[in-house]
Amino acid sequence: MLRLNGVGRRFPNNVIALDNITTRIEPGAFIALLGPSGCGKSTLLRILAGLDTPDTGSLTWDDNTPPGPGDIGFVFQDATLLPWANAEANVFLPLRLAGKSLETARPIVRDTLAQLGLAGFEHAKPTELSGGMRMRVSIARALVSRPKLLLMDEPFAALDEFTRHRLQDDLFALWREARTTIVFVTHSIYEAAYLASRIIVMSPRPGRIAAELTCTLPDT
Ligand code: ADP
Ligand code: ADP
């Protein structure tokens, strides 16, 4: 899907967040970015999303086709939702920004909510939902445009263990079915080993790749 060629990112305060990152994101992969705080995981994710740009090195997309609108879904760490809007309106947002009307988009929005186990919660506001459900809405919003690449920054970190395992299992099943390429950030080796087809381990000062592991997935 894409290659990172010696990607570096230095912030104006002279912190080197990323140093010479070379790797590839293969289509259909489920990649865990693992490492301690400050090793550059979020910076790398933001660069993949096009929310930040490298100072050195480059990203090469397959067929030299950079992603267009809707090709990348991003899930922020705190499941940022519009607080005044219900689940349906939150998930509709990317399609609204793409110029679609709610009438035409509603079936896709409803399908996506249902895929994330949120059928019946279309009209619930974020304050009426649990943390796990807010994260599900956030993931539904990232998936509604059927992106080629789904990026998630610590999607499970704020959840209790039970909710986390259920969401992990649902996401894994979703990935198995749709084969959307996924890159997610985690601090947990367990989470990485449970979900990922490949693990990129990063180390800080400066942010480098310490190891890359190819995982054997359970054949369920
Ligand atoms: P991680 O997600 O692994 O915790 P980050 O990518 O957030 O790491 O940060 C990597 C390093 O870059 C850290 O030392 C952090 O303090 C620094 N950093 C991140 N964003 C900025 C910024 N906007 N300005 C200055 N320094 C930053
Ligand atoms: P261990 O002794 O290694 O902790 P257990 O035998 O206690 O393992 O439990 C492992 C079981 O927990 C697995 O069969 C798996 O189905 C279930 N499980 C569910 N979610 C997770 C998860 N995120 N990480 C690890 N195990 C999980």
Side-chain angles (χ1 to χ4, degrees), residues 164-165 168-169 190-191 194:
R164 180 189 309 145
H165 285 185
Q168 285 173 346
D169 288 344
Y190 303 106
E191 213 161 272
Y194 189 60

Side-chain angles (χ1 to χ4, degrees), residues 91 95 100 104-113 144-146:
V91 173
L95 301 179
K100 298 225 161 63
T104 53
R106 186 169 269 133
I108 301 166
V109 170
R110 298 247 160 156
D111 274 3
T112 312
L113 279 165
V144 77
S145 58
R146 302 287 178 264

Side-chain angles (χ1 to χ4, degrees), residues 11 13 15 17 36-43:
F11 287 109
N13 56 0
V15 171
S37 291
C39 69
K41 303 183 295 298
S42 298
T43 304

Side-chain angles (χ1 to χ4, degrees), residues 10-110:
R10 177 197 291 264
F11 287 109
N13 56 0
N14 261 340
V15 171
I16 298 174
L18 296 174
D19 181 41
N20 198 25
I21 301 289
T22 296
T23 189
R24 64 188 285 267
I25 313 289
E26 60 277 23
F30 199 154
I31 294 179
L33 275 181
L34 179 76
S37 291
C39 69
K41 303 183 295 298
S42 298
T43 304
L44 187 55
L45 206 68
R46 290 172 55 79
I47 284 175
L48 292 176
L51 298 169
D52 196 0
T53 41
D55 302 308
T56 57
S58 62
L59 270 65
T60 315
W61 294 86
D62 282 359
D63 309 321
N64 284 319
T65 314
D71 282 345
I72 295 185
F74 199 95
V75 176
F76 294 90
Q77 194 172 345
D78 44 8
T80 331
L81 299 171
L82 300 175
W84 60 85
N86 65 26
E88 183 177 81
N90 267 288
V91 173
F92 171 53
L93 186 67
L95 301 179
R96 196 178 91 183
L97 295 176
K100 298 225 161 63
S101 74
L102 183 56
E103 284 62 45
T104 53
R106 186 169 269 133
I108 301 166
V109 170
R110 298 247 160 156

